[in-house]
Amino acid sequence: MQPEQNLIERARNGDEEAVTLLYETHVDSIFAYVRYRVPSDMIAEDITSEVFLRMVRSVTSYRDQGVPFRAWLFRIAANLITDHYRQHGKNPTVAIHESYESDDPNPFDHVMQEDEHHHLRLAIQSLPAEYQDLLVLRFVEDMPHTEIARIMNKSAMALRAMQYRALKALEEALRGGRS
Amino acid sequence: MSDEQFSPEEQNFIRQLREARPQIDPAARNAIREHMIAEFRYVTATPPAPRPRLRLAPVLAAAAALAIVIFVIGQVVRPPTPLTEIPTPQTQIAIVPSDTIQPTYTAEPLSITPTVPLPSQTSTPVPATAMIPTTPAPSEMPIVPTTTQQITIVVEGPVSAINENVLIVYDLHVEVAPGHPILSLLEVGDFVRVEGEYPTGDAVVARIVSNLDDVTVVDGETATVNLEGPVESIDNNQIVVNGITVQLDADDPILDSLQVDDFVSVKGNFENDGTMIVLVVVNVTVINDVEVIEADCWYHADAMGMGHWHCDGMGMGMGMGGMGMGRQ
């Protein structure tokens, strides 16, 4: 039995340590994906929290019915993001310097970097949802097309075609954001 | 990703994406973990509620009994009047998991409200000389009609198994018409949306099976099926893709340039054209900007002798013609 499957089995049997290990394994990826998709850290934290709450509520009955565990978590996150936008609509207002601290030794560099990251996130968030998913899962989380296909319910071939279009769209969005 | 080629500009975008990877605040990370553990303790300490299962027979019996009681009370209180037609109640039960994937499903409460009109409030005028029976003769007792129930079920979820023409979705058996082309498209793990009837309580008899989880609407038409693959043959406005006959509009401009071996993405709906089931196109696009790597595509033949092309991001290291490899 693979290590993660062993953890899932232990979690299913009420092992708290196993649940914690599953959390630590996936929380960074889930948060990064969600944060790229929503306009603020606070919203991303809320959604990330909800992902793992749903994980523990369902882990006792989870079965790998063709959807691997990580893909299952990402799919939950994708659905929660969709729910969020259904309820709240698109809100482009973003606090730029959320992580800025007054005693930062290199405040200017930090602000410049945050500004670039902010533009990149805005550009990403201006794209169609499926482009956002594909770009973040493929290039930030290094997922293979086969796994992304499970999350997005598309064929790997369609994702390859979409990837080309998504990168073009990102290029356009970045040019438009800086003009 | 090592087999993919990116332009310098694309490589720059990818680098920026990775550098800008958001990091969760450590305090938030801890708080989320604590909240999760608290929930886990609660969940494991509380026995799970029994999964609600549809029990139609008792509910139907109760509804029928209620209908009889109401009718009989009406007969006792008022003179009998001709019954009007009782509409057949239409009840829809949606078994749809919440937006997030959960291996369990929640059935909404069954709501059946049989309608039995009470006799009219106006009394029938009686001639003074007529004999008025105190109770109706047995032969004149109106027959209590039985209500027929049509229950539509909507199921959404992953296909966990396929046994010939029966799909298993969240432990529900879904029967598809034997030989239906959708069966050649579906694989275990695919997400489907099924609409059908639940006539006997054993299996859902599917009317519509959709492998599209996003609503695709083009010019007011909604597509339920997604099909991708190489064009195998072209016959006027009908093409064959993955062994499935696809019907385009006779004047679809794509027919001017479409060629055999073009890779297409088709969205449409299965319809019976009188002789066979064809996929009527809502939207079709040719995928030309992708280099098909032979090692990543193979022909997947199933046990019924049908098959379809399948392309995978993982290099299989085999040429075309790998039989029965399936998808990992």
Side-chain angles (χ1 to χ4, degrees), chain A residues 95-154:
Chain A
I96 298 177
H97 308 302
E98 287 178 298
S99 60
Y100 176 66
E101 296 178 2
S102 60
D103 57 351
D104 192 322
N106 298 304
F108 184 73
D109 291 344
H110 187 93
V111 167
M112 286 297 293
Q113 190 180 56
E114 278 298 305
D115 197 45
E116 276 194 20
H117 292 174
H118 169 65
H119 279 294
L120 183 60
R121 284 179 203 163
L122 278 184
I124 294 274
Q125 288 166 21
S126 71
L127 303 179
E130 55 185 18
Y131 284 10
Q132 296 181 43
D133 282 343
L134 178 54
L135 289 174
V136 174
L137 294 174
R138 188 81 182 99
F139 299 119
V140 181
E141 300 306 317
D142 278 338
M143 271 191 199
H145 286 118
T146 47
E147 190 170 353
I148 300 173
R150 302 284 189 184
I151 296 168
M152 296 179 63
N153 197 30
K154 294 188 185 295

Side-chain angles (χ1 to χ4, degrees), chain A residues 138 144-146 149 155-161 163, chain B residues 1-5 187 228-230 242 263 290-300 308-323 325-328:
Chain A
R138 188 81 182 99
H145 286 118
T146 47
S155 69
M157 176 57 65
L159 291 176
R160 283 175 179 259
Q163 176 178 295
Chain B
M1 205 177 337
S2 60
D3 60 336
E4 293 184 282
Q5 302 291 328
E187 295 186 21
E228 287 160 351
N242 266 347
F263 250 84
V290 174
E291 184 183 334
V292 179
I293 304 172
E294 288 193 2
D296 288 348
C297 295
W298 67 94
Y299 189 74
H300 179 196
H308 59 272
W309 281 98
H310 189 95
C311 296
D312 200 304
M314 299 174 66
M316 294 296 292
M318 295 177 66
M320 291 184 182
M323 301 290 286
M325 290 297 294
R327 179 169 61 185
Q328 295 189 8

Side-chain angles (χ1 to χ4, degrees), chain B residues 21-269:
Chain B
R21 187 179 193 250
Q23 304 286 333
I24 188 170
D25 177 70
R29 186 194 185 98
N30 291 338
I32 294 171
R33 183 180 56 239
E34 294 307 314
H35 191 189
M36 178 196 70
I37 293 296
E39 181 72 11
F40 182 70
R41 286 173 184 164
Y42 171 76
V43 165
T44 49
T46 308
R51 180 187 297 187
R53 300 188 75 88
L54 292 175
R55 300 240 183 258
L56 298 176
V59 179
L60 288 176
L66 178 64
I68 294 171
V69 168
I70 292 173
F71 184 80
V72 168
I73 291 173
Q75 293 303 304
V76 170
V77 171
R78 293 282 182 266
T81 58
L83 289 171
T84 57
E85 181 181 352
I86 296 173
T88 303
Q90 296 279 340
T91 307
Q92 184 167 32
I93 301 170
I95 302 179
V96 180
S98 65
D99 281 343
T100 62
I101 301 171
Q102 297 188 15
T104 58
Y105 64 86
T106 303
E108 292 184 359
L110 182 60
S111 164
I112 298 179
T113 54
T115 56
V116 180
L118 291 175
S120 168
Q121 297 288 328
T122 58
S123 57
T124 307
V126 178
T129 58
M131 294 291 292
I132 303 172
T134 54
T135 57
S139 60
E140 294 173 358
M141 285 291 288
I143 299 171
V144 176
T146 56
T147 58
T148 58
Q149 310 287 335
Q150 271 193 322
I151 301 168
T152 301
I153 282 197
V154 177
V155 183
E156 291 180 357
V159 177
S160 58
I162 301 176
N163 301 320
E164 295 189 359
N165 67 315
V166 177
L167 317 176
I168 312 294
V169 183
Y170 287 130
D171 294 339
L172 274 178
H173 287 64
V174 177
E175 273 186 29
V176 181
H180 195 288
I182 191 76
L183 290 168
S184 68
L185 290 182
L186 295 177
E187 295 186 21
V188 172
D190 284 348
F191 269 72
V192 294
R193 183 178 191 278
V194 177
E195 287 184 29
E197 276 69 48
Y198 207 57
T200 61
D202 294 329
V204 176
V205 178
R207 271 187 292 107
I208 300 173
V209 178
S210 171
N211 64 345
L212 275 174
D213 66 344
D214 292 327
V215 174
T216 297
V217 180
V218 177
D219 294 334
E221 287 187 83
T222 302
T224 59
V225 177
N226 180 43
L227 167 65
E228 287 160 351
V231 175
E232 296 162 19
S233 67
I234 301 174
D235 179 15
N236 292 328
N237 65 321
Q238 284 192 344
I239 64 177
V240 175
V241 180
N242 266 347
I244 292 173
T245 301
V246 177
Q247 184 165 298
L248 290 78
D249 282 340
D251 57 352
D252 193 319
I254 208 172
L255 289 168
D256 295 336
S257 55
L258 196 63
Q259 295 180 351
V260 172
D261 290 336
D262 280 346
F263 250 84
V264 292
S265 173
V266 181
K267 288 181 172 55
N269 302 292

Side-chain angles (χ1 to χ4, degrees), chain A residues 4-24:
Chain A
E4 181 157 273
Q5 286 178 339
N6 183 38
L7 285 178
I8 295 168
E9 191 60 36
R10 285 168 52 193
R12 218 181 269 141
N13 293 324
D15 187 334
E16 203 173 284
E17 185 190 4
V19 169
T20 303
L21 286 172
L22 286 171
Y23 170 78
E24 296 297 341

